[in-house]
Amino acid sequence: MNITALTLTETLEALERKEFSRGELNKAYIDRINKLNRDLNAYLLVNEQSNAVPAAIKDIIVTKGIRTTAGSKILENFIPPYNATVIDRLSEHRISIIGKTNLDEFAMGSSGENSAYGPTKNPWNLSKVPGGSSSGSAAAMTADMAVFALGTDTGGSIRQPASLCG
């Protein structure tokens, strides 16, 4: 079974049937991230200690004790003292952060090229943009690098990457 190719529902059902452990699930995703992220630049930070259902979190969503840069060097050392409400809700349901995903700086862009940490690449064609600003989240999902991902959308920041990455 290719664990990283399962949908969220399939993953939860397989965990319930004990077809694999949460540790095996996280190892499969960490291995995949380590294999692909060098080319895609979808993740800015990877949490190899993830031990629940692994989710990719757009790096503009604050996470207590985990660096949040918003794709900007200005915030490269910012470690929030609190979680965004959505992170607390995910934690209540045994969802863990496998990593923080790349984005257009301060979520102000539509291509995924404007991060201070380099552009995110489209998994289907590395010469194409993935769309933005939730570029890393979309690329991570398309490349099976997370069970699911969070992004944000003000002016198309989820819709454009979803369209361009499929």
Side-chain angles (χ1 to χ4, degrees):
M1 171 190 314
N2 182 356
I3 295 174
T4 63
L6 300 175
T7 66
L8 174 59
T9 301
E10 291 168 339
T11 299
L12 295 175
E13 290 170 351
L15 283 167
E16 191 172 304
R17 290 189 303 269
K18 299 187 185 326
E19 292 179 23
F20 47 81
S21 69
R22 292 183 192 283
E24 291 169 321
L25 175 66
N26 281 277
K27 183 180 180 333
Y29 279 105
I30 293 294
D31 289 349
R32 187 144 178 94
I33 291 166
N34 288 337
K35 178 181 175 186
L36 299 176
N37 198 54
R38 185 175 303 118
D39 292 329
L40 297 177
N41 200 29
Y43 284 94
L44 298 179
L45 178 141
V46 178
N47 175 17
E48 297 209 15
Q49 306 306 312
S50 176
N51 59 3
V53 176
I57 308 297
K58 184 176 180 179
D59 196 35
I60 202 161
I61 300 171
V62 293
T63 48
K64 183 178 181 177
I66 301 173
R67 185 178 67 150
T68 300
T69 70
S72 177
K73 290 288 185 178
I74 293 170
L75 296 175
E76 70 183 327
N77 296 313
F78 176 59
I79 299 175
Y82 57 88
N83 280 328
T85 301
V86 68
I87 300 302
D88 287 336
R89 297 291 185 270
L90 290 175
S91 295
E92 292 169 8
H93 295 282
R94 299 197 64 199
I95 306 293
S96 67
I97 300 166
I98 198 162
K100 301 292 291 280
T101 58
N102 205 353
L103 66 149
D104 286 300
E105 190 169 10
F106 294 112
M108 298 297 293
S110 59
S111 65
E113 299 172 292
N114 300 312
S115 171
Y117 300 95
T120 304
K121 305 293 181 154
N122 189 313
W124 296 110
N125 183 335
L126 298 179
S127 70
K128 304 291 183 186
V129 299
S133 67
S134 299
S135 55
S137 292
M141 289 307 304
T142 300
D144 293 330
M145 294 166 57
V147 175
F148 74 95
L150 290 184
T152 61
D153 194 313
T154 303
S157 293
I158 292 175
R159 292 166 281 162
Q160 289 175 3
S163 177
L164 294 174
C165 289

